Amino acid sequence: FISGFPSKDINRFRQSVGTLLASNGFYEIMTNSLTHSDYRKYNIATEGEPVEILNKLSEEQAILRTTMLFTGLEVCSFNINRKQKDLKLFEFGKVYGKQDGKYRERERLALYVTGQYEADNWQRKARSVSYHDVSRFVANILAKSAIKDVKIEVMKAEDSAVFEYGVKIFAKKSEVGMMGKLKSAFQKDFGIKQKIFN
């Protein structure tokens, strides 16, 4: 996840980063901000307590998302189950939360990369996506964002409910994002068996 957008012109920033990602083979997705109440069990909310919908139509749309991870994995699962296993997806969206009686709404950018990095061609054989591919995409986004003084902190499996390994990204002592490989056991809840980097 990448956050910490410039406050001047969010739409220009989205267009600039979206163009960068599209030129690297990514497709943009759009998912619903309303999500399943069962996702609370993972306890990875970053914006405080989930905001519940009072007049909910179903449990599948019972709360406002506190992370974009779950809705993104639903899209990955849908495509993989239909034999579209090589995915490079991105989404701009908002996450929500409630803390100390105050409601919060924040902009986020999420990437989902899985399958083959590129198909077989006459120059090279197909290869699977790696952590280094994703870190290169994130580095390009950070450069495009003009975020200065970037530092990373290594995450271990025991430090995260969803990442097997990865890093947290800081700028001026504020956490602006994280990336890594998702845990296989976590992915199984979405029916996904192949590696996914987020």
Side-chain angles (χ1 to χ4, degrees), residues 45-69:
T46 57
E47 301 302 324
E49 290 296 313
V51 177
E52 294 191 32
I53 304 303
L54 295 178
N55 298 322
K56 60 188 177 187
L57 297 175
S58 68
E59 286 303 315
E60 285 75 26
Q61 296 183 329
I63 60 173
L64 287 168
R65 64 185 176 195
T66 55
T67 173
M68 294 172 66
L69 179 60

Side-chain angles (χ1 to χ4, degrees), residues 17-189:
V17 172
T19 300
L20 170 70
L21 290 168
S23 69
N24 281 279
F26 280 78
Y27 290 90
E28 186 171 10
I29 61 173
M30 295 175 67
T31 61
N32 199 332
S33 294
L34 295 172
T35 192
H36 205 295
S37 58
D38 282 354
Y39 292 149
R40 285 187 286 199
K41 69 184 179 184
Y42 297 107
N43 197 28
I44 62 166
T46 57
E47 301 302 324
E49 290 296 313
V51 177
E52 294 191 32
I53 304 303
L54 295 178
N55 298 322
K56 60 188 177 187
L57 297 175
S58 68
E59 286 303 315
E60 285 75 26
Q61 296 183 329
I63 60 173
L64 287 168
R65 64 185 176 195
T66 55
T67 173
M68 294 172 66
L69 179 60
F70 304 128
T71 51
L73 286 178
E74 288 171 359
V75 173
C76 291
S77 177
F78 181 89
N79 281 277
I80 291 168
N81 289 336
R82 285 154 184 79
K83 309 302 181 186
Q84 299 296 319
K85 297 187 175 184
D86 305 329
L87 302 172
K88 289 185 201 170
L89 308 173
F90 75 96
E91 180 181 16
F92 288 100
K94 292 182 179 180
V95 294
Y96 308 86
K98 185 171 64 174
Q99 200 166 39
D100 300 324
K102 295 181 180 178
Y103 293 95
R104 304 173 66 168
E105 174 183 291
R106 295 188 188 247
E107 294 279 348
R108 291 287 184 263
L109 166 62
L111 306 181
Y112 310 90
V113 187
T114 185
Q116 299 295 326
Y117 181 75
E118 58 186 356
D120 271 324
N121 60 52
W122 64 276
Q123 288 182 312
R124 59 183 74 88
K125 291 184 178 181
R127 68 173 177 84
S128 297
V129 171
S130 72
Y131 172 82
H132 300 290
D133 296 319
V134 179
S135 65
R136 188 173 65 253
F137 296 138
V138 172
N140 290 340
I141 293 168
L142 291 171
K144 186 71 103 173
S145 307
I147 296 176
K148 308 287 185 186
D149 304 320
V150 174
K151 294 182 180 177
I152 61 170
E153 179 183 297
V154 175
M155 278 191 298
K156 298 176 184 175
E158 56 267 27
D159 298 333
S160 171
V162 297
F163 286 107
E164 191 171 304
Y165 57 82
V167 296
K168 291 182 178 179
I169 306 165
F170 293 87
K172 296 181 180 178
K173 298 183 179 179
S174 296
E175 187 177 328
V176 295
M178 60 182 69
M179 65 176 175
K181 179 194 171 294
L182 297 177
K183 290 180 177 178
S184 300
F186 169 69
Q187 290 179 192
K188 283 181 182 176
D189 288 353

